[in-house]
Amino acid sequence: MITKRIIPCLDVKDGRVVKGTNFLGLRDVDSPVELASYYYDHNADELVFYDITASAEGRALFTDILTQVASTIFIPLTVGGGINSVDDFERVLQCGADKVSVNSGALRDPSLIEAAAKKYGNQCVVLSVDAKRVDGRFEVFAKGGREATGRDLLDWVRFGVEHGAGEIVLNSIDTDGVKQGFDIPMLSAVCEVVNVPVIASGGAGCALDFITLFETLPKVDAGLAASIFHFGQVAIPRLKEMIAMCDIPMRQ
């Protein structure tokens, strides 16, 4: 079994970290710079930074805050939000990102995945996918879960990997912020059709949810969460201890 990763997620709106439920009802949490520093000090394996309204507002990602965050931590940083071109990849990487997450931009222009992978390498291109159940299937949504695309989730992730995406972040809108556990059926379906690392996002409410995730789906590489870390419900060092006690390989 591969060594698992624990990844806090900073959803940033108007320069502040926010969190909601099912992608709605956002509330203020903290400064992204201060939170990033906290997670680095408390043994997070990586960090994800999403400018969650950049695509919906049709603007570029806030690079000033991103630069501050990147200068604060020394763990892999994945950044997304308003990534619509190879130039956007370049701009974000120059700010200190290690990987770039593309979502709505790739849905508008699927050739972006391959173009970025050819220029920066597959390991740099993260395909982030927001999906939920619609009429008995998993459908992909754009613009932070605001816009239905009609695309089938499994077809889309298969396409993304075939064209250069080196990692998949699967965000289940159905379980986001609900704290009842990760979306095991959706994650299982994705793991069956791709051969790159899959990161589970949406639904973690306690340490047991991570243990269940990794025990049920050994192919999942990492668990990503926000509110349970932001509000102190689960401390990352203790979470890692509990996971390791279940004989699940854990980065220390």
Side-chain angles (χ1 to χ4, degrees):
M1 188 185 293
I2 57 173
T3 304
K4 306 305 182 184
R5 293 172 281 155
I6 301 300
I7 306 175
C9 178
L10 308 183
D11 291 325
V12 179
K13 180 178 186 291
D14 299 328
R16 297 283 295 178
V17 176
V18 296
K19 191 68 190 93
T21 302
N22 303 126
F23 284 32
L24 300 171
L26 300 177
R27 56 173 168 156
D28 184 82
V29 177
D30 204 341
S31 153
V33 178
E34 291 180 7
L35 263 186
S37 179
Y38 172 85
Y39 288 132
Y40 172 65
D41 290 340
H42 287 78
N43 211 23
D45 295 306
E46 299 187 14
L47 191 69
V48 168
F49 177 111
Y50 288 140
D51 186 339
I52 62 171
T53 57
S55 291
E57 295 172 2
R59 60 167 171 78
L61 183 144
F62 291 125
T63 53
D64 52 346
I65 296 172
L66 170 58
T67 301
Q68 293 178 59
V69 167
S71 67
T72 301
I73 63 174
F74 300 93
I75 52 177
L77 174 63
T78 299
V79 177
I83 306 298
N84 297 298
S85 66
V86 172
D87 287 344
D88 289 330
F89 270 76
E90 178 69 22
R91 185 166 51 85
V92 169
L93 291 169
Q94 287 183 345
C95 290
D98 299 285
K99 296 181 279 188
V100 182
S101 175
V102 63
N103 189 328
S104 297
L107 288 165
R108 278 190 297 272
D109 178 13
S111 69
L112 174 58
I113 300 171
E114 186 169 7
K118 285 182 176 178
K119 185 167 184 179
Y120 301 110
N122 297 52
Q123 80 289 339
C124 180
V125 181
V126 178
L127 181 62
S128 179
V129 186
D130 301 324
K132 68 178 179 180
R133 292 159 178 79
V134 178
D135 297 330
R137 71 183 186 120
F138 301 127
E139 182 176 337
V140 177
F141 280 67
K143 296 183 179 178
R146 298 172 180 81
E147 183 179 286
T149 68
R151 289 181 183 268
D152 178 79
L153 168 64
L154 302 185
D155 289 344
W156 179 235
V157 295
R158 194 183 288 115
F159 173 92
V161 171
E162 288 173 352
H163 289 80
E167 193 168 76
I168 301 291
V169 175
L170 178 60
N171 313 297
S172 172
I173 298 173
D174 294 325
T175 61
D176 175 72
V178 178
K179 300 182 184 179
Q180 296 297 312
F182 292 97
D183 197 327
I184 300 295
M186 187 184 290
L187 286 159
S188 178
V190 168
C191 286
E192 288 302 312
V193 300
V194 300
N195 59 356
V196 299
V198 174
I199 298 174
S201 173
C206 64
L208 181 59
D209 291 334
F210 287 86
I211 294 169
T212 300
L213 169 70
F214 295 138
E215 288 185 335
T216 307
L217 297 176
K219 290 183 179 179
V220 169
D221 287 67
L224 182 150
S227 57
I228 64 166
F229 297 142
H230 297 343
F231 301 122
Q233 293 155 289
V234 175
I236 293 175
R238 177 57 180 157
L239 172 60
K240 288 187 169 187
E241 290 177 6
M242 294 174 70
I243 294 172
M245 287 170 62
C246 296
D247 293 324
I248 298 169
M250 193 75 250
R251 294 190 184 184
Q252 298 302 318

